[in-house]
Amino acid sequence: MFSWVKQEQGGRNKDGEMYQTVTEGLQTLYTKKLLPLEETYLFHDFHSPALEAADFQSKPMVLLVGQYSTGKTTFIRYLLEQDFPGMRIGPEPTTDGFIAVMYGENEGIVPGNALVVDPKKPFRKLNAFGNSFLNRFICSQMPNQVLQSISVIDTPGILSGEKQRLSRGYDFAEVLRWFGERVDRIILLFDAHKLDISDEFSEAIRAFKGQDDKIRVVLNKADQVDTQQLMRVYGALMWSLGKVINTPEVVRVYLGSFWAKPLQNTENRRLFEAESQDLFRDIQSLPRNAALRKLNDLIKRARLAKVHAYIVSYLKKEMPSLFGREKKKEELLMRLPEIYTILQREHHISPGDFPNVSKMQDMLQHYDFSKFPSLKMKLIESVDKMLATKIAVLMAMIREEESKLPPPMVSGGAFEGSQDGPFRHGYGEGISAGADIEDWIVSQDKHRYDEIFYTLMPVNGKITGVNAKKEMSTSRLPNTVLGKIWKLADCDCDGMLDEEEFALAQYLIKIKLEGYELPTELPAHLVPPSHRKNRQKANG
């Protein structure tokens, strides 16, 4: 039973409530501590609608964004390994709306207007974008194992022309910003043949400002170019992204071909497999980190709400009581950047916590500053106390929950084939090669290793460490790596190598030079035949 209260209070806080889970704790903190501040200072009109129970309780969501024909819908099908209701795939812009692909016992489609009145779904606040948006928003439900752990949001293919952008009938960038604040992962998809970032795509990426930690990039259809072209494409992509995502950190890019068709160029198969495994691991970690993400988003929201309260109350304080209000309002709007600086110094606020100046100026035009509320320090102090004490307790609760429950993982669909059987990553390669054959795999090249062994002047069938070092150093591997190889190969730990141990050392050097990692312990199938009895006795 979790609680952030003292034992003498009987496991209850001062309001007499128990907190069973992190999700419940987050929801209660938001409702009692942060929501009053947001409502008082009109935060929902300026920044983001109020959060509801479904926002805290929903499964992790993955948002896919990209220009048309980059393979967003195909990517979802690749993960689920089956079609989903409402799916359309083609080289032209086929997805003209938002599709929330979610778990449901019965397969079917729920239209947008019905979706935003469902209290169990985290989409109720999307009704603010009107019928133009809701007519292009559906929920595709199906009983798929992957969707038991995550939900996926497919978005319209982004076009480059001004005409298409105006004809959407709703603020596309604002809808993306709304989703960006609530999803756990934002995946930007690029086609290896379409690296240009259009004006609307740039605007879409900028809508995710402040959510940089959620963004990943997938360079899709990478099998359609050869290695040399792929290097140039990757460089061009990073250059293009650097102009749009203005952060010092390099965004994580995954290369691959995310569909079930044969690779056109197989020379980078190993690279694509490793990249897809990394991406799968990233997506699989989302359920485990969902509570931490929601906690992080709540902290970001609280900081912004506090700054907004300071701005609004400052504008109220500066307004005259009777005459010259319009003139003063114009003056304050012009001085907003200067007001930011004043508040920053006065309240010790980081510059990065302030909202965009020009956007704030545009929104403030429609308000009467004299009707804004004055600064209520009690509300600010309540949020400060939440950030200082309650959040720390929730962090401890997250660790407690993780220790008591096995970390949930996304399974099913494309994730299933990546974990077991002979086609899992690394099976039959590197250190795993030869695991399922009777003969010792090192013996295939042992005749060559024996020739070298007998030039190193063995005594009583063994060579010294000094002589072995001279030969092993010709590989030009670092001494730290060679030391690890020596430790693995010297099976009887006598400081010398017999011919089988030397052959094993040479084999491990070959594996390392081919780019594979070495194990911390020697696998059973690589133990030299003459040493296996001793190994079995030691383990028995």
Side-chain angles (χ1 to χ4, degrees), residues 61-64 176-188 207-217 245 247 251-252 254 279 282-283 286 289-290 292-298 300-301:
M61 292 192 287
V62 178
L63 180 70
L64 297 180
L176 287 180
R177 188 172 76 85
W178 188 94
F179 275 109
E181 289 174 352
R182 287 158 177 80
V183 300
D184 296 72
R185 186 66 75 237
I186 301 165
I187 297 181
L188 306 178
F208 301 131
K209 183 175 172 60
Q211 313 296 336
D212 308 305
D213 56 320
K214 299 179 181 179
I215 296 176
R216 303 289 184 272
V217 174
I245 304 176
T247 58
V251 66
R252 179 68 171 93
Y254 299 94
L279 179 59
D282 185 66
I283 294 173
L286 295 181
N289 298 325
L292 196 58
R293 192 275 302 169
K294 286 169 184 168
L295 180 67
N296 187 47
D297 283 354
L298 187 70
K300 283 195 281 189
R301 188 180 178 100

Side-chain angles (χ1 to χ4, degrees), residues 247-298:
T247 58
E249 298 89 6
V250 178
V251 66
R252 179 68 171 93
V253 179
Y254 299 94
L255 309 171
S257 183
F258 296 94
W259 59 359
K261 296 187 178 179
L263 298 175
Q264 290 190 22
N265 279 304
T266 58
E267 57 194 40
N268 292 313
R269 174 187 283 278
R270 269 185 60 202
L271 171 65
F272 297 156
E273 287 174 355
E275 290 286 284
S276 69
Q277 290 300 318
D278 283 353
L279 179 59
F280 282 177
R281 275 193 290 270
D282 185 66
I283 294 173
Q284 284 180 310
S285 71
L286 295 181
R288 187 176 65 244
N289 298 325
L292 196 58
R293 192 275 302 169
K294 286 169 184 168
L295 180 67
N296 187 47
D297 283 354
L298 187 70

